[in-house]
Short mmCIF file of all heavy atoms in Angstrom, two decimals:
data_model
loop_
_atom_site.label_atom_id
_atom_site.label_comp_id
_atom_site.label_asym_id
_atom_site.label_seq_id
_atom_site.Cartn_x
_atom_site.Cartn_y
_atom_site.Cartn_z
N GLN A 1 0.83 -1.20 0.00
CA GLN A 1 0.00 0.00 0.00
C GLN A 1 0.87 1.25 0.00
O GLN A 1 0.53 2.24 -0.65
CB GLN A 1 -0.95 -0.01 1.20
CG GLN A 1 -2.00 -1.08 1.09
CD GLN A 1 -2.78 -1.30 2.38
OE1 GLN A 1 -2.29 -1.03 3.47
NE2 GLN A 1 -3.99 -1.83 2.24
N ASP A 2 1.99 1.19 0.71
CA ASP A 2 2.93 2.32 0.72
C ASP A 2 3.46 2.61 -0.68
O ASP A 2 3.63 3.76 -1.06
CB ASP A 2 4.08 2.01 1.67
CG ASP A 2 5.05 3.17 1.82
OD1 ASP A 2 4.60 4.33 1.93
OD2 ASP A 2 6.27 2.92 1.83
N LEU A 3 3.66 1.55 -1.47
CA LEU A 3 4.14 1.70 -2.85
C LEU A 3 3.01 1.99 -3.83
O LEU A 3 3.27 2.21 -5.01
CB LEU A 3 4.88 0.44 -3.30
CG LEU A 3 6.20 0.15 -2.61
CD1 LEU A 3 6.74 -1.21 -3.05
CD2 LEU A 3 7.20 1.25 -2.90
N GLY A 4 1.77 1.95 -3.36
CA GLY A 4 0.63 2.21 -4.24
C GLY A 4 0.25 1.02 -5.10
O GLY A 4 -0.42 1.18 -6.12
N LEU A 5 0.63 -0.18 -4.67
CA LEU A 5 0.28 -1.37 -5.45
C LEU A 5 -1.22 -1.62 -5.47
O LEU A 5 -1.73 -2.25 -6.40
CB LEU A 5 1.00 -2.61 -4.90
CG LEU A 5 2.51 -2.59 -4.88
CD1 LEU A 5 3.04 -3.92 -4.38
CD2 LEU A 5 3.09 -2.25 -6.24
N HIS A 6 -1.93 -1.11 -4.47
CA HIS A 6 -3.37 -1.32 -4.39
C HIS A 6 -4.12 -0.40 -5.35
O HIS A 6 -5.31 -0.58 -5.57
CB HIS A 6 -3.86 -1.09 -2.96
CG HIS A 6 -3.66 0.31 -2.47
ND1 HIS A 6 -2.40 0.85 -2.28
CD2 HIS A 6 -4.54 1.27 -2.14
CE1 HIS A 6 -2.52 2.09 -1.85
NE2 HIS A 6 -3.82 2.37 -1.76
N LEU A 7 -3.44 0.56 -5.95
CA LEU A 7 -4.06 1.47 -6.90
C LEU A 7 -3.92 0.94 -8.32
O LEU A 7 -2.88 0.39 -8.67
CB LEU A 7 -3.39 2.86 -6.81
CG LEU A 7 -3.38 3.50 -5.43
CD1 LEU A 7 -2.52 4.75 -5.45
CD2 LEU A 7 -4.79 3.79 -4.97
N ASP A 8 -4.93 1.14 -9.11
CA ASP A 8 -4.87 0.72 -10.51
C ASP A 8 -4.25 1.86 -11.30
O ASP A 8 -4.94 2.78 -11.73
CB ASP A 8 -6.26 0.38 -11.03
CG ASP A 8 -6.21 -0.31 -12.38
OD1 ASP A 8 -5.12 -0.35 -12.99
OD2 ASP A 8 -7.25 -0.81 -12.82
N LEU A 9 -2.94 1.82 -11.45
CA LEU A 9 -2.23 2.91 -12.10
C LEU A 9 -2.41 2.94 -13.61
O LEU A 9 -2.10 3.93 -14.24
CB LEU A 9 -0.73 2.83 -11.77
CG LEU A 9 -0.38 3.00 -10.31
CD1 LEU A 9 1.11 2.84 -10.11
CD2 LEU A 9 -0.85 4.34 -9.79
N ALA A 10 -2.91 1.86 -14.18
CA ALA A 10 -3.08 1.83 -15.63
C ALA A 10 -4.31 2.59 -16.07
O ALA A 10 -4.39 3.04 -17.20
CB ALA A 10 -3.17 0.39 -16.12
N ASP A 11 -5.28 2.73 -15.17
CA ASP A 11 -6.51 3.41 -15.56
C ASP A 11 -7.04 4.16 -14.34
O ASP A 11 -7.31 3.57 -13.31
CB ASP A 11 -7.55 2.38 -16.03
CG ASP A 11 -8.84 3.03 -16.53
OD1 ASP A 11 -8.91 4.27 -16.56
OD2 ASP A 11 -9.75 2.28 -16.89
N ASP A 12 -7.18 5.46 -14.46
CA ASP A 12 -7.64 6.26 -13.33
C ASP A 12 -9.15 6.50 -13.36
O ASP A 12 -9.67 7.34 -12.65
CB ASP A 12 -6.89 7.60 -13.26
CG ASP A 12 -7.12 8.47 -14.49
OD1 ASP A 12 -7.90 8.05 -15.38
OD2 ASP A 12 -6.54 9.56 -14.55
N GLY A 13 -9.86 5.76 -14.19
CA GLY A 13 -11.31 5.90 -14.26
C GLY A 13 -11.75 6.85 -15.38
O GLY A 13 -12.91 6.87 -15.74
N THR A 14 -10.83 7.61 -15.92
CA THR A 14 -11.17 8.54 -16.99
C THR A 14 -10.76 7.99 -18.34
O THR A 14 -10.95 8.63 -19.35
CB THR A 14 -10.47 9.90 -16.78
OG1 THR A 14 -9.06 9.70 -16.83
CG2 THR A 14 -10.87 10.51 -15.45
N GLY A 15 -10.15 6.80 -18.32
CA GLY A 15 -9.68 6.21 -19.56
C GLY A 15 -8.27 6.64 -19.91
O GLY A 15 -7.69 6.16 -20.86
N LYS A 16 -7.69 7.52 -19.10
CA LYS A 16 -6.32 7.98 -19.35
C LYS A 16 -5.35 7.07 -18.61
O LYS A 16 -5.59 6.73 -17.47
CB LYS A 16 -6.14 9.42 -18.87
CG LYS A 16 -6.98 10.41 -19.60
CD LYS A 16 -6.78 11.79 -19.04
CE LYS A 16 -7.71 12.78 -19.72
NZ LYS A 16 -7.64 14.10 -19.09
N GLU A 17 -4.29 6.74 -19.25
CA GLU A 17 -3.28 5.91 -18.60
C GLU A 17 -2.26 6.81 -17.94
O GLU A 17 -1.35 7.32 -18.58
CB GLU A 17 -2.64 4.96 -19.61
CG GLU A 17 -3.63 3.95 -20.15
CD GLU A 17 -2.98 2.90 -21.02
OE1 GLU A 17 -1.77 2.96 -21.22
OE2 GLU A 17 -3.70 2.02 -21.48
N GLN A 18 -2.42 7.01 -16.63
CA GLN A 18 -1.58 7.96 -15.91
C GLN A 18 -0.20 7.42 -15.59
O GLN A 18 0.71 8.19 -15.32
CB GLN A 18 -2.27 8.38 -14.63
CG GLN A 18 -2.51 7.23 -13.66
CD GLN A 18 -3.29 7.65 -12.46
OE1 GLN A 18 -3.79 8.76 -12.39
NE2 GLN A 18 -3.41 6.77 -11.49
N ALA A 19 -0.02 6.12 -15.60
CA ALA A 19 1.26 5.56 -15.16
C ALA A 19 2.20 5.23 -16.32
O ALA A 19 3.28 4.75 -16.10
CB ALA A 19 1.02 4.30 -14.35
N GLN A 20 1.77 5.47 -17.54
CA GLN A 20 2.61 5.10 -18.67
C GLN A 20 3.97 5.78 -18.61
O GLN A 20 4.95 5.20 -19.03
CB GLN A 20 1.91 5.42 -19.99
CG GLN A 20 0.82 4.44 -20.34
CD GLN A 20 1.33 3.02 -20.57
OE1 GLN A 20 2.44 2.64 -20.21
NE2 GLN A 20 0.50 2.22 -21.18
N THR A 21 4.04 7.02 -18.16
CA THR A 21 5.32 7.69 -18.09
C THR A 21 6.12 7.24 -16.87
O THR A 21 7.34 7.29 -16.89
CB THR A 21 5.13 9.22 -18.03
OG1 THR A 21 4.31 9.53 -16.91
CG2 THR A 21 4.47 9.71 -19.30
N GLN A 22 5.44 6.77 -15.84
CA GLN A 22 6.12 6.37 -14.62
C GLN A 22 6.58 4.91 -14.66
O GLN A 22 7.67 4.60 -14.20
CB GLN A 22 5.20 6.58 -13.43
CG GLN A 22 5.86 6.36 -12.10
CD GLN A 22 4.94 6.69 -10.94
OE1 GLN A 22 3.78 7.01 -11.14
NE2 GLN A 22 5.44 6.60 -9.73
N TYR A 23 5.77 4.02 -15.19
CA TYR A 23 6.08 2.59 -15.22
C TYR A 23 5.87 2.04 -16.62
O TYR A 23 4.91 2.41 -17.30
CB TYR A 23 5.17 1.82 -14.25
CG TYR A 23 5.30 2.24 -12.82
CD1 TYR A 23 4.30 2.97 -12.20
CD2 TYR A 23 6.42 1.91 -12.07
CE1 TYR A 23 4.41 3.37 -10.88
CE2 TYR A 23 6.54 2.30 -10.75
CZ TYR A 23 5.54 3.02 -10.16
OH TYR A 23 5.64 3.41 -8.85
N SER A 24 6.72 1.10 -16.99
CA SER A 24 6.53 0.42 -18.27
C SER A 24 5.41 -0.61 -18.10
O SER A 24 4.97 -0.90 -16.98
CB SER A 24 7.82 -0.28 -18.69
OG SER A 24 8.09 -1.37 -17.82
N VAL A 25 4.97 -1.18 -19.20
CA VAL A 25 3.92 -2.20 -19.15
C VAL A 25 4.39 -3.39 -18.33
O VAL A 25 3.63 -3.95 -17.54
CB VAL A 25 3.53 -2.63 -20.59
CG1 VAL A 25 2.57 -3.79 -20.58
CG2 VAL A 25 2.96 -1.46 -21.35
N GLU A 26 5.65 -3.75 -18.49
CA GLU A 26 6.20 -4.89 -17.74
C GLU A 26 6.24 -4.59 -16.25
O GLU A 26 5.92 -5.45 -15.43
CB GLU A 26 7.60 -5.24 -18.24
CG GLU A 26 7.65 -5.79 -19.64
CD GLU A 26 7.61 -4.70 -20.72
OE1 GLU A 26 7.86 -3.51 -20.40
OE2 GLU A 26 7.30 -5.03 -21.87
N GLU A 27 6.63 -3.37 -15.89
CA GLU A 27 6.67 -3.00 -14.48
C GLU A 27 5.28 -3.00 -13.86
O GLU A 27 5.09 -3.43 -12.71
CB GLU A 27 7.32 -1.63 -14.30
CG GLU A 27 8.81 -1.62 -14.55
CD GLU A 27 9.39 -0.21 -14.58
OE1 GLU A 27 8.73 0.70 -15.11
OE2 GLU A 27 10.50 -0.05 -14.06
N LEU A 28 4.28 -2.52 -14.61
CA LEU A 28 2.91 -2.56 -14.10
C LEU A 28 2.45 -4.00 -13.88
O LEU A 28 1.78 -4.30 -12.89
CB LEU A 28 1.96 -1.85 -15.07
CG LEU A 28 1.97 -0.33 -15.05
CD1 LEU A 28 1.12 0.22 -16.18
CD2 LEU A 28 1.52 0.20 -13.71
#
């Protein structure tokens, strides 16, 4: 939870992929 693993970083509910710049597909 501290690392935010419980959050769905690939989709923030708006259809935008917010984590693409932060994490690669493999990292996600």
Side-chain angles (χ1 to χ4, degrees):
Q1 291 168 335
D2 184 43
L3 292 174
L5 300 184
H6 63 295
L7 305 172
D8 191 350
L9 296 178
D11 184 3
D12 62 2
T14 62
K16 296 178 184 174
E17 294 187 359
Q18 62 185 8
Q20 284 296 16
T21 57
Q22 187 176 4
Y23 300 107
S24 69
V25 174
E26 293 82 17
E27 289 171 321
L28 283 173

